[in-house]
Every structure is written in structure tokens, then in C-alpha cells.
Amino acid sequence: MRSDQMKKGITRAPHRSLFKAMGYTDEELSRPIIGIASSANEVIPGHIHLDKVVEAVKAGIRMAGGTPMTFSTIGICDGIAMGHQGMKYSLGSRELIADSVEVMGMAYPFDGIVMVPNCDKIIPGMIMAAARLNIPAIVVSGGPMLAGECCGQTIDLITVFEAVGKVSTGELTEEGLKPYEDAACPGAGSCSGMFTANSMNALTEALGLALPGGGTIPAVMAARLRLAKKSGMQIVKLVEQGITPDKILTRSAFLNAVTVDMAFGGSTNTTLHLPAIAHEAVIPLPLDTFQEISEKTPHLCNMSPGGPHHIEDLNRAGGIYALMRTLHEHGLIDGSALTVSGVPLNDLLPRHTVLDTSVIRPFDAPYHETGGLAILKGNLAPNGSVVKQSAVDPAMRHHTGPARVFNSEEEAVEAILGGKIQKGDVVVIRYEGPKGGPGMREMLAPTSAIAGMGLDRDVALLTDGRFSGGTRGASIGHISPEAAQGGPIAIVREGDEIEIDIDNKTLTLHVSESEIAERLKAWQPPEPNIKTGYMARYARVVQSADTGAVFRD
């Protein structure tokens, strides 16, 4: 066993002595030792209950004859970090989480590892570490939050963000906002729409790293704890069978995940996290792959923020495996891909059936003929940009308008809430990329304000930063190269005409090539926004969004 490095033989008597100081017995130390990376904390609603999930995982490990050992990682709630300096640290935390789990997995040679995350950057960070360590690994998330109920409608966190925009227009009073605030997030779990956390949890199933139901069983259900126990038992089997992440995280697995992503209309942030995980697995996954798969994958699930359904609905309809079965029956899923169940998808998919065709539509009756995301390129985004096309109003799929240029999210929000943005405008928010932000902030505040003010059918937003998984409307992010690296977005001027053509996958600045070249020649990089600490170091080594915002090798 790998753990013998720290526990077996005469020379490891001091090591065993230290374990015994924590109460471990000789019997426990003789068994496979399973590390549990837990991001349980009291600052994220998706993580507030993870201690109970971890206890269930530990019970499963013990039932299967292993010995669990838990350690902690950090975590940031993007919703709470949204709209202020804290959001600059969110994406950067992904690399810290990956590094910390890797460090623990090397310092303590566990025989296997269970990842217990639940929110945006924690999930990909842990999976990146699993790929690096390449020891048997399984992911069991904390599960999605239930949707809220208010004023006769089903609501979620995005409802509250958009309600803020309604207050600014006078459509809603501050007193009227309070009931939404109180009801939108009814309890523990990752926010209930197909936002980034739930997109990544669902894709963990599609990658083969979680048992069926891992991405959709609600946090408050007992089935979540039963799944955690099964995952604890299964990791011991994976150790016995020698099934490591490199056998699961194959090119087929990543193509399956992108296909599922397109079918359920996931967050644009998946185009950051899947390539970053693939990078650790040494498998190329360029943005062009997302577009290629989008063009042949129908959009079958209309999830919030683009549609009416929430993750609890998807779970009730059969979950990710039922969706994958539909895609597999039409040749879009590689069933030979191995999973942490110890068998390939081909052996699992026949057990799962679509139970509600209003949530998971039939293949021949999709919401849209193509996938939820689109990759746009052009002279404004030579290396690409990303839009959740499934959440764009048809009237905005082709839009041309004057640029309204802002060098930070705060400047843009002030202008939007101040009534300075007019119908037809194209709001450009730059110097918010991985390097320029630094940290590539999610910008839910400007998009929600636009939607809440009823302008999402008339105003587009472009940025080298990110938009939240809860964003809807013509919000195009991840523009690469970013402004801080001298990308063309850096030289856009107020009033320049910008054309967005989602159907033809183009993003065009209507300025001559010679003028763009002259402007770029005169451009000077700005002073860093953060000059000390972790994010200053992060800005020096991070690459543009089209790479997944990974560090330079």
C-alpha cells in the first residue's frame, strides 16, 4: 500500500507513535488509509453542512475496511464575494486549493482520497489535485440548495440580484426587496440553478469521478448522506482495483463532459475549469472543442437562469445519467469511458431513464438545436470569448451598437444604476481578466442590474473578466487576449461600433486594422491593481482565459 511509506517497518515506529497520539490503533493503521479533503466551513451556505457529509463518507470507508483521515481546504462563496474586492480572490483560490490538496496528498501518502467540495472553485481545484496525485480518487459534493418560494413564484439567488435592478428603476421598493432576500436561499447547498457550482458538480458525474446522483441530489435529502456512505465504500474498492484518475480522466471523458455541458446549458465558467483540469491530466482541451461540440449537441435542459427549472427538478427527472443516456442513444457520448463505479458508462446508463420530459427534453424536441454555450472570435477576441447563448434573448443574437467603455466593474455598475446606459449600447468592462483584475472577477451585479431594469433585450455586455453562472442576456466574457496583456479590448474607445453575431460566432470591432495597430502601438500597460500578496504573485504567472486561466508552466 502507498501508505506503507509512513507506517510500516521498524523505522516507522516514530511515525506510528504520532498516529497513536491521535488515537489511531494498530488495526486502523494496518488498513488502507483514505484521505478526505473537506472544504467544510461556516462562511459558505454550500459548505455549512459538509461536516455531516464527511461523517457519512467516513462511515462508508470504515464499513469497507479502510481508515479515514480528514483535512481541510479553503473556500470562497462567489455570491458573498460578488461586487467587491473579495471577488478578485475567488478564481485564484482554485490554484491554492489544488496546491493544498496536492501538498497533503504527497506529505501523507494516502492510499486513496475522497474530495468533498460544493462550490465554484473548490470543485475544479480538488479535481486538479486528484489529476496531479493520480491516486484512487472519488468526488462527493454537498449537493444543491433547494429553490426558494416567494410571492407565488419559484426563486433563487439570481432573483435577488435582479430585484436590485428593479429597485433602481422604481419597479420594486426596498421593502418589497426584503421578502425575496429572506426566501431565495432556503438552506444549505450550492445555489439552486445551473450556475457554476452545480454545473461543475454535474460535470463531475459526466467525467466519471462521482457516483450517479453526485451532482443533483439536493443537499437536504437523506439520499445525499447515503450517497456519501456509498462513495466512502467505493473509494476502498478503487484502491483494491488500482483505478486511478488517469484511467478515468481520458480524452473521451472530457468530450463527454463538454457534451453534457452543452446539453444542460451550463455556466460559461466551465470553459475555464474543464480546460484547467484537462491541463493537469495532460489532455488538450482548447476553446474550439467547446464550439465543435456545441454545434452538434442539442440544448435539452432549460435551467435557471435561462429557464424555469432548478437542480431539484433535474434530479427528479432522472439526473445527469438520464441526460447522458439520451445523448448516448444518439451517438454523442462515449460509453466506453471508465467511471469511479469501477465499470464503464455502457454498464451504467441503461439503469437510468428520463422521468420527466419537460425537464429533460427528447433529443428530437430540444429547446435549441445547438448547445448552451458559444465561442465567439474576431478582431476584438482573436483567441476567443464565451457566451451562454441559451440564455440570450433571440433579439440580441445579432446586435450592433456603440461601445460604452469602463475600466472596472465598479465604474460600469455606477453607470448602469445611474441610468447612463441606453438601449442599444454595448457595455465594455475591461482590465478585469485573470492578470488585469487580477483574478477575473465574476460580474453578476452589472448583468443582473441590466436584466432587472428590463434592458437585457437591448444592451450587451462584453468583458475580459467573467460573468456569473447565474448570468443571462447577451453577456460575453473571457475575451482573450485580455486588456492587461495588450489584447484589442484594451484599445476600444467610447462610441466605437461593436458587432455581436452569435449565429456566425463572431465578435467584431468596426475599426480598421491600421487604426487598431496604431492604437495598440501607443498602448501602455496600467499599474497593477494589487501590488502585494498572493494575487500579485498570481497576476505574474497566470495566463489568459482561453487557456483555462492556468499558470505558465
Side-chain angles (χ1 to χ4, degrees):
M1 290 189 291
R2 185 174 182 261
S3 61
D4 287 348
Q5 298 174 53
M6 63 179 174
K7 69 181 186 184
K8 191 173 183 179
I10 295 174
T11 60
R12 295 298 181 258
H15 303 63
R16 293 192 295 274
S17 180
L18 290 167
F19 279 118
K20 289 177 179 179
M22 294 180 278
Y24 292 104
T25 65
D26 286 329
E27 290 78 10
E28 286 176 300
L29 294 177
S30 69
R31 299 169 181 166
I33 293 180
I34 309 298
I36 303 175
S38 169
S39 52
N41 59 55
E42 297 181 354
V43 295
I44 306 177
H47 295 220
I48 192 71
H49 66 305
L50 290 189
D51 56 335
K52 296 179 176 61
V53 176
V54 167
E55 286 303 315
V57 171
K58 291 165 72 174
I61 291 170
R62 291 189 179 108
M63 284 191 286
T67 297
M69 295 184 180
T70 305
F71 63 92
S72 299
T73 69
I74 63 169
I76 292 174
C77 173
D78 280 19
I80 295 173
M82 194 75 65
H84 59 86
Q85 188 80 348
M87 181 50 77
K88 291 180 182 288
Y89 290 79
S90 176
L91 183 59
S93 73
R94 185 187 70 183
E95 269 58 33
L96 279 177
I97 291 161
D99 289 349
S100 66
V101 175
E102 175 197 0
V103 164
M104 290 297 288
M106 295 305 295
Y108 296 83
F110 302 121
D111 297 300
I113 192 164
V114 181
M115 311 295 189
V116 186
N118 210 30
C119 289
D120 296 33
K121 311 309 166 302
I122 300 95
I123 304 157
M126 286 191 180
I127 299 175
M128 289 162 68
R132 291 181 198 172
L133 290 169
N134 203 34
I135 61 175
I138 193 168
V139 178
V140 51
S141 79
M145 185 185 292
L146 295 176
E149 297 286 337
C150 182
C151 305
Q153 66 179 120
T154 302
I155 65 171
D156 54 39
L157 178 66
I158 305 310
T159 313
V160 187
F161 272 98
E162 293 185 359
V164 172
K166 292 179 180 179
V167 172
S168 69
T169 64
E171 183 180 344
L172 192 68
T173 65
E174 288 190 40
E175 292 75 16
L177 178 63
K178 186 69 161 53
Y180 291 96
E181 174 186 330
D182 291 343
C185 300
S190 48
C191 296
S192 58
M194 192 57 83
F195 315 141
T196 305
N198 287 325
S199 294
M200 290 308 303
N201 277 331
L203 293 181
T204 302
E205 285 191 63
L207 283 169
L209 285 176
L211 295 179
T216 60
I217 296 173
V220 297
M221 285 188 174
R224 173 61 52 182
L225 297 180
R226 295 197 297 270
L227 181 74
K229 290 178 182 177
K230 290 177 183 177
S231 298
M233 297 172 71
Q234 187 62 24
I235 188 63
V236 179
K237 290 183 182 178
L238 293 176
V239 171
E240 293 168 351
Q241 296 168 353
I243 296 177
T244 47
D246 63 333
K247 296 179 175 66
I248 295 173
L249 293 176
T250 61
R251 177 162 177 77
S252 289
F254 284 102
L255 297 182
N256 285 346
V258 175
T259 300
V260 172
D261 188 14
M262 296 303 154
F264 65 44
S267 164
T268 53
N269 287 312
T270 60
T271 65
L272 287 174
H273 301 320
L274 286 176
I277 296 167
H279 177 76
E280 299 293 348
V282 198
I283 293 172
L285 190 64
L287 276 181
D288 289 342
T289 302
F290 286 80
Q291 185 55 47
E292 291 164 7
I293 292 177
S294 179
E295 288 173 359
K296 62 183 180 182
T297 306
H299 178 218
L300 302 179
C301 302
N302 202 16
M303 312 295 295
S304 175
H309 299 130
H310 291 83
I311 305 301
E312 63 204 74
D313 301 313
L314 181 57
N315 185 66
R316 174 177 50 79
I320 297 303
Y321 268 70
L323 174 61
M324 282 199 288
R325 178 177 174 176
T326 298
L327 296 167
H328 179 254
E329 288 172 347
H330 291 82
L332 296 183
I333 291 289
D334 184 347
S336 69
L338 184 63
T339 72
V340 289
S341 295
V343 295
L345 283 171
N346 280 331
D347 292 2
L348 300 172
L349 294 178
R351 307 175 195 174
H352 299 269
T353 304
V354 175
L355 303 176
D356 187 341
T357 55
S358 71
V359 179
I360 304 174
R361 281 196 173 179
F363 193 87
D364 58 358
Y367 285 99
H368 303 96
E369 295 294 332
T370 56
L373 303 181
I375 308 302
L376 311 186
K377 291 188 174 183
N379 66 350
L380 188 53
N383 294 349
S385 61
V386 185
V387 62
K388 183 184 275 195
Q389 62 175 343
S390 60
V392 177
D393 188 274
M396 290 296 291
R397 292 186 69 85
H398 186 216
H399 177 79
T400 302
R404 302 298 307 281
V405 183
F406 305 95
N407 289 334
S408 71
E409 177 187 5
E410 289 83 359
E411 290 180 16
V413 170
E414 182 180 355
I416 293 167
L417 294 179
K420 297 179 181 178
I421 301 302
Q422 307 301 317
K423 290 184 177 182
D425 286 349
V426 177
V427 176
V428 177
I429 309 173
R430 63 190 179 195
Y431 296 110
E432 290 286 6
K435 178 182 177 66
M440 202 181 181
R441 284 192 288 183
E442 277 189 352
M443 287 176 276
L444 185 54
T447 58
S448 297
I450 288 288
M453 296 166 73
L455 292 173
D456 54 306
R457 297 183 178 185
D458 303 286
V459 172
L461 294 97
L462 312 181
T463 185
D464 53 6
R466 300 181 291 139
F467 289 121
S468 164
T471 291
R472 60 186 175 96
S475 302
I476 299 161
H478 305 203
I479 291 177
S480 302
E482 63 173 291
Q485 292 184 324
I489 190 173
I491 53 82
V492 177
R493 293 178 181 171
E494 189 81 6
D496 283 349
E497 188 176 81
I498 293 176
E499 181 180 5
I500 300 159
D501 190 342
I502 293 175
D503 291 331
N504 289 308
K505 310 300 180 289
T506 57
L507 185 60
T508 307
L509 174 64
H510 284 298
V511 173
S512 69
E513 290 185 19
S514 59
E515 174 66 14
I516 291 174
E518 283 297 316
R519 292 186 191 181
L520 286 172
K521 186 177 179 181
W523 174 82
Q524 293 293 324
E527 283 290 312
N529 287 319
I530 297 177
K531 298 180 175 63
T532 60
Y534 172 68
M535 290 309 294
R537 298 196 302 274
Y538 177 91
R540 289 195 290 269
V541 295
V542 72
Q543 300 182 82
S544 247
D546 61 295
T547 70
V550 298
F551 286 172
R552 292 195 302 271
D553 290 327

